[in-house]
Amino acid sequence: MKKKIIRSAACSGILIMLAACNSKEKENAVAVIDKEKVKKEIQSRENEFAAIYNKGKVIDIDYYADDSKSFYQNTAPLVGREAIIEFLKSASASNSNRISFNTNEVFVSVDGEQVLEVGSFKLVDSSNAIIDNGNYMSLFVKRNGKYVCVRDMSTSDYNSEKK
């Protein structure tokens, strides 16, 4: 009788341990992130940004988070969405230049909540002559189901000898 009780207790203990390990496995299992889907989503955000910028409707850009920080070339860091929008307004108001962006790579966090984008940009005038081109990095965070940019910086490849 004692042996049956001990055997039953041992089996119960093993089953409990297996169940506990199985639930830990499920907790540690991470959803598989479709990197190409994320890359397309980020490229879509870039296309939307470019379209609004090119129309001169900079105020409508919802690309940046309220707490974002942007590091543009030859200027102090721009802190907050409002400061970035004001900078973009002054840059776009006096010209008919058009910008385009290309998402080259994305590095997605395991939970899919953050994305680091590495891309390139091109700025052309009304005759499609290149005024500037270069590269950028943007850090996105998912908020309310949508990626928003919280940090970005760019560098120009433009050579003054091309002028």
Side-chain angles (χ1 to χ4, degrees):
M1 180 77 163
K2 259 186 178 180
K3 284 184 181 180
K4 276 188 174 182
I5 293 173
I6 292 172
R7 213 179 303 165
S8 295
C11 286
S12 296
I14 290 172
L15 289 174
I16 290 171
M17 286 183 2
L18 285 174
C21 289
N22 192 24
S23 66
K24 275 286 187 203
E25 261 181 42
K26 287 179 183 175
E27 285 176 18
N28 291 334
V30 176
V32 177
I33 304 296
D34 185 345
K35 192 173 171 180
E36 283 305 309
K37 182 180 177 189
V38 172
K39 185 176 180 182
K40 286 178 184 175
E41 187 174 348
I42 297 298
Q43 182 64 61
S44 175
R45 298 288 291 146
E46 297 296 352
N47 293 345
E48 179 185 326
F49 178 111
I52 292 170
Y53 179 89
N54 293 339
K55 288 179 185 174
K57 305 268 186 188
V58 177
I59 194 74
D60 294 335
I61 292 175
D62 72 343
Y63 179 89
Y64 292 100
D66 290 337
D67 60 342
S68 58
K69 189 180 280 190
S70 189
F71 301 90
Y72 280 93
Q73 304 157 42
N74 305 313
T75 188
L78 302 166
V79 179
R81 182 182 183 281
E82 288 182 32
I84 297 168
I85 295 299
E86 284 304 312
F87 176 83
L88 292 172
K89 273 201 267 186
S90 66
S92 71
S94 62
N95 64 51
S96 60
N97 300 334
R98 292 182 324 276
I99 197 162
S100 60
F101 301 100
N102 186 53
T103 302
N104 298 328
E105 296 178 275
V106 291
F107 301 90
V108 185
S109 65
V110 280
D111 62 2
E113 293 297 310
Q114 293 185 350
V115 177
L116 176 66
E117 173 197 18
V118 177
S120 56
F121 71 89
K122 182 168 58 170
L123 187 66
V124 298
D125 66 15
S126 59
S127 69
N128 280 337
I130 296 175
I131 297 169
D132 195 5
N133 63 319
N135 300 286
Y136 64 90
M137 291 176 58
S138 296
L139 176 62
F140 292 87
V141 174
K142 195 171 252 189
R143 294 187 180 160
N144 298 319
K146 188 176 188 177
Y147 287 113
V148 290
C149 184
V150 293
R151 298 289 184 275
D152 69 352
M153 63 188 315
S154 63
T155 182
S156 176
D157 292 340
Y158 191 73
N159 183 343
S160 59
E161 294 173 15
K162 293 179 184 177
K163 287 184 177 180

